[in-house]
Amino acid sequence: MPIAPPRETAPSEAVSTHSKTAVSPSATAVATVATLFTPQNRLKDQERYQLRQPTDADKPLNADVTILSILDCEPAADSPLVEFLENAPDDLDQAAIDELIPPLAFPYWELQESLYPVVPELQAAWQIENYAITVIEDRTSWRTLTDLASAGVVEPLELVHWLYEIIALWMTLSPFAAETSVLAPDNLRVDDDQVVCLQRLIFNPDETPPSLETLGQLWQTWLTQSSLPQLEPLEDLVTDLVAGLLDDPTTVQTRLIEIADRLSEPTSAAEPAVETAPSTTTTLPLAATDTPGETVAALSIEEIAAEAKASAADSPLLLVEDLLLGAELDDAANSSPEAESASEEGGLGDLPTMALPMKLHRLDDAGRTHVGRQRAHNEDSFFAHTQVQRLNSPAGAQVTARGLYILCDGMGGHSGGEVASQLAVDSLKEYFAEHWQADLPDEEVIRTGILNANQAIFDQNESEERAGNARMGTTLVMVLVNDHQVAVAHVGDSRLYGLTRQELTQITVDHEVGQREINRGVEPAIAYARPDAYQLTQALGPRSNQEIAPTITYLTISQDTLFVLCSDGLSDNELLENHVESHLKPLMRTKVDLDDGVADLIDLANEHNGHDNITAIVVRLKLRPNLNAIADSE
């Protein structure tokens, strides 16, 4: 367990997982490890944590930080901090938080939302006598940058990418006096998504900031150890750093951008992080991505961005800030004096950016439906199918994937709604099995599939001579994924949401009377004051094909994205919007099980809504830099 730094654990796993705990003296030094543990080797005040390996009880604690490996004996339970905050009153003030979290744990606390997984998540923090205990996940098994560099498996642009991440992280950690974290080679790790992460935070001795010369010396070691071909511009940059000629991190970033541009294909261009086709009506608002043009030596950063925006791209592009930092620091961090000072000097939004082409790394899904607390039967139906192919070669792993996700919310009473929703699902499933062979189907193909489903339900209504409210029908929201390309289609008020590191966005717009009036220019308050405001303007089945106009949207995904397809039993009363932090953001993490996450969403809907059937499909896309594409283009 580390004493001073944080410890890491995987609370979602069903078996005990190990952790790291840091202990730091806050005043008089405690002599030995035994001071911190019970006779059963459990940490005092938090006995759910136990020493992972036998340790000499008489081992002296370091004057600064001692790192110990521990086990969380209750891995399925919320961390102590999460449990405290969930039960804390709404008016919890800063003084109470200050009392709960020792000062050395605050940087983890303030950075965990905006910088996870770069900075380990704080699981617990408390005081034992004169020592501050911080508990974080154990990352000792993660690959180090030094190992990857010396193994010769790093592409030139990948190394430049990582150096850019490191200098951006240097600037982010500066207000917390923790730049030293990126100077310890063993402290720099790479996760499964190829993101540079820290094993723990290392605070500057005596709060004296290190110089960029020291960082340059570390980079020089990597260049010496790696088997990369000679990169003269990068070597020149590192030489200038070591010589003390560069004292501004933003200058280092700008030069890295120039180097990346020289390594990238001349015609690579920028596009919005999620781009829609001309016929679409919605976009998923991510940060726009700007990428360098053909040359950079004579261009400013602004000119590079302008030139890039004028061209078109075949592959998605990701700003390194999006990959490394995600959203900006949360309000708590921004409200600190250090963060305010950093903002005045130029915050993250003012930094130059470097764009890289992206490729799909993982595609995962989970779906579940529930009758709800008030309905006698379930009229919802869904289908979720993901196909993933992974090809390993000397050039690296290549993942190709596609998925079809269909959710329908039926109407028409018993033996009506569930029949309609299942008919729609079956019709669409069979249709795309025949008509989707390679790339995403075009808009006309998708529309034809939806109209076929409408006709199947319509014909059954006619054959059974159903009339009025007895005519069965269903809503539809459907997502087709082909690598990083996505097609979305919907009819009715079942919704699709998209979550990125920046925000949650409702991608579909409900086909209902109130929204129709808003589209006509009516004020929302007036539009939804109508008694029929929530009546559907479109559904599959009740009407002929001539009266059905599905909305079809094409998106290009350029950063990790979580899609949530849901019936109104889950989306009513802005339930998802109000529970982004607790129920959606955790699902962005690869290690979090999506099946458990969907089950939690169903439970949430039953607790707060429950008046209707509840169905949800969650689709998680994980991307990483497409370095092979760049190498192929050179």
Side-chain angles (χ1 to χ4, degrees):
M1 102 182 178
I3 307 175
R7 148 286 201 187
E8 316 174 11
T9 187
S12 63
E13 296 184 9
V15 297
S16 297
T17 57
H18 57 274
S19 313
K20 289 293 182 179
T21 302
V23 186
S24 297
S26 58
T28 308
V30 175
T32 65
V33 169
T35 307
L36 307 173
F37 289 88
T38 69
Q40 293 75 35
N41 287 331
R42 301 291 184 106
L43 272 170
K44 292 178 179 178
D45 298 334
Q46 290 289 346
E47 294 192 16
R48 67 184 278 178
Y49 301 113
Q50 182 179 36
L51 268 175
R52 189 176 177 218
Q53 297 172 335
T55 302
D56 184 2
D58 296 326
K59 176 182 177 181
L61 297 175
N62 294 338
D64 181 20
V65 172
T66 298
I67 307 296
L68 298 173
S69 182
I70 62 173
L71 283 170
D72 183 354
C73 299
E74 302 174 21
D78 286 336
S79 73
L81 282 178
V82 170
E83 185 177 359
F84 172 83
L85 291 173
E86 286 183 348
N87 298 318
D90 294 336
D91 58 351
L92 182 68
D93 57 17
Q94 188 63 42
I97 296 178
D98 291 344
E99 184 177 349
L100 173 70
I101 305 175
L104 284 175
F106 261 111
Y108 291 98
W109 174 257
E110 295 191 349
L111 291 170
Q112 62 185 6
E113 282 300 326
S114 59
L115 275 188
Y116 185 87
V118 177
V119 172
E121 184 178 19
L122 180 65
Q123 296 292 311
W126 70 97
Q127 198 87 9
I128 297 179
E129 298 185 8
N130 296 316
Y131 275 77
I133 311 292
T134 54
V135 181
I136 58 171
E137 72 182 301
D138 185 6
R139 295 180 170 181
T140 54
S141 63
W142 292 22
R143 297 167 300 172
T144 68
L145 281 184
T146 300
D147 291 340
L148 291 174
S150 59
V153 297
V154 181
E155 296 290 337
L157 185 61
E158 188 171 23
L159 179 60
V160 174
H161 172 140
W162 284 339
L163 298 184
Y164 187 98
E165 286 187 329
I166 290 169
I167 195 66
L169 187 55
W170 173 288
M171 299 169 72
T172 303
L173 296 176
S174 177
F176 303 95
E179 300 101 308
T180 303
S181 303
V182 303
L183 294 177
D186 285 346
N187 199 48
L188 292 168
R189 307 275 169 157
V190 178
D191 73 356
D192 290 339
D193 296 323
Q194 298 296 93
V195 177
V196 174
C197 301
L198 299 177
Q199 185 171 340
R200 65 183 180 94
L201 291 180
I202 303 176
F203 300 100
N204 303 335
D206 302 321
E207 296 190 358
T208 302
S211 66
L212 287 175
E213 297 174 43
T214 311
L215 182 62
Q217 292 168 4
L218 175 62
W219 291 4
Q220 192 173 59
T221 301
W222 285 339
L223 289 181
T224 303
Q225 292 177 343
S226 70
S227 58
L228 293 173
Q230 189 173 15
L231 298 175
E232 186 174 344
L234 186 56
E235 293 176 354
D236 291 344
L237 169 61
V238 172
T239 299
D240 289 347
L241 274 172
V242 173
L245 301 179
L246 300 174
D247 57 7
D248 183 1
T250 58
T251 302
V252 179
Q253 285 192 309
T254 301
R255 288 181 61 173
L256 286 170
I257 292 172
E258 296 172 355
I259 295 168
D261 180 62
R262 297 180 190 183
L263 293 172
S264 302
E265 59 178 319
T267 58
S268 65
E271 58 186 72
V274 172
E275 177 185 276
T276 61
S279 62
T280 63
T281 59
T282 61
T283 59
L284 186 59
L286 311 176
T289 55
D290 305 329
T291 186
E294 182 173 353
T295 62
V296 294
L299 296 178
S300 68
I301 297 300
E302 292 77 10
E303 291 170 329
I304 292 172
E307 178 179 312
K309 287 179 179 178
S311 57
D314 294 326
S315 61
L317 295 161
L318 177 69
L319 295 185
V320 171
E321 270 84 9
D322 289 340
L323 181 64
L324 170 64
L325 303 176
E328 295 180 357
L329 296 181
D330 57 14
D331 294 339
N334 285 334
S335 63
S336 67
E338 296 87 352
E340 290 176 3
S341 173
S343 178
E344 291 171 1
E345 296 171 3
L348 294 176
D350 298 324
L351 301 179
T353 56
M354 179 171 66
L356 298 173
M358 303 300 293
K359 65 179 180 180
L360 184 69
H361 174 55
R362 286 187 63 126
L363 179 63
D364 301 297
D365 77 81
R368 184 172 293 203
T369 186
H370 191 275
V371 69
R373 292 187 291 115
Q374 297 181 17
R375 296 294 180 91
H377 57 281
N378 194 343
E379 296 182 303
D380 291 357
S381 298
F382 76 93
F383 173 77
H385 182 59
T386 298
Q387 295 175 297
V388 178
Q389 290 185 322
R390 184 181 182 90
L391 173 65
N392 291 308
S393 69
Q398 180 180 353
V399 175
T400 59
R402 74 180 192 180
L404 176 62
Y405 313 101
I406 306 168
L407 187 151
C408 294
D409 181 354
M411 64 197 76
H414 184 61
S415 75
E418 57 261 49
V419 171
S421 62
Q422 193 61 54
L423 267 175
V425 167
D426 291 343
S427 174
L428 289 164
K429 181 173 61 174
E430 294 170 6
Y431 175 83
F432 285 109
E434 180 180 352
H435 293 86
W436 182 9
Q437 303 301 329
D439 296 335
L440 280 179
D442 61 31
E443 185 175 345
E444 188 56 36
V445 171
I446 293 176
R447 178 178 290 105
T448 300
I450 295 172
L451 293 181
N452 286 351
N454 181 75
Q455 190 66 46
I457 305 169
F458 181 84
D459 288 345
Q460 186 149 339
N461 275 323
E462 294 295 293
S463 66
E464 296 177 3
E465 298 183 350
R466 291 175 176 257
N469 292 334
R471 289 182 73 82
M472 58 185 179
T474 184
T475 66
L476 165 71
V477 59
M478 177 172 63
V479 173
L480 297 85
V481 176
N482 194 77
D483 294 338
H484 57 265
Q485 304 294 332
V486 175
V488 179
H490 85 284
V491 176
D493 62 356
S494 291
R495 292 179 179 177
L496 175 67
Y497 289 85
L499 176 68
T500 67
R501 296 180 189 272
Q502 285 72 40
E503 62 183 321
L504 177 72
T505 301
Q506 181 183 327
I507 299 174
T508 56
V509 179
D510 296 345
H511 293 148
E512 61 187 15
V513 171
Q515 186 62 52
R516 181 195 66 193
E517 295 304 297
I518 291 174
N519 295 342
R520 292 174 175 174
V522 177
E523 289 293 324
I526 297 175
Y528 277 95
R530 295 173 53 126
D532 62 347
Y534 293 97
Q535 180 178 319
L536 295 182
T537 57
Q538 286 200 68
L540 298 184
R543 301 173 184 171
S544 66
N545 284 351
Q546 288 71 30
E547 299 180 71
I548 300 299
T551 301
I552 301 172
T553 302
Y554 287 85
L555 311 171
T556 296
I557 306 303
S558 65
Q559 64 171 308
D560 294 351
T561 301
L562 186 81
F563 287 122
V564 181
L565 299 80
C566 61
S567 61
D568 55 358
L570 178 59
S571 61
D572 279 353
N573 301 314
E574 297 187 340
L575 191 62
L576 290 178
E577 290 88 341
N578 293 330
H579 292 83
V580 174
E581 298 294 330
S582 61
H583 284 72
L584 294 184
K585 278 192 175 180
L587 302 184
M588 293 284 287
R589 302 174 184 173
T590 304
K591 67 179 183 180
V592 174
D593 185 86
L594 288 184
D595 286 310
D596 292 341
V598 173
D600 289 342
L601 288 174
I602 298 293
D603 291 343
L604 180 72
N606 270 320
E607 179 182 354
H608 293 277
N609 290 335
H611 57 279
D612 201 350
N613 307 145
I614 306 160
T615 304
I617 303 172
V618 174
V619 183
R620 182 172 59 204
L621 293 89
K622 305 288 288 187
L623 278 69
R624 66 168 46 174
N626 188 1
L627 303 171
N628 292 336
I630 293 174
D632 293 343
S633 68
E634 293 175 345

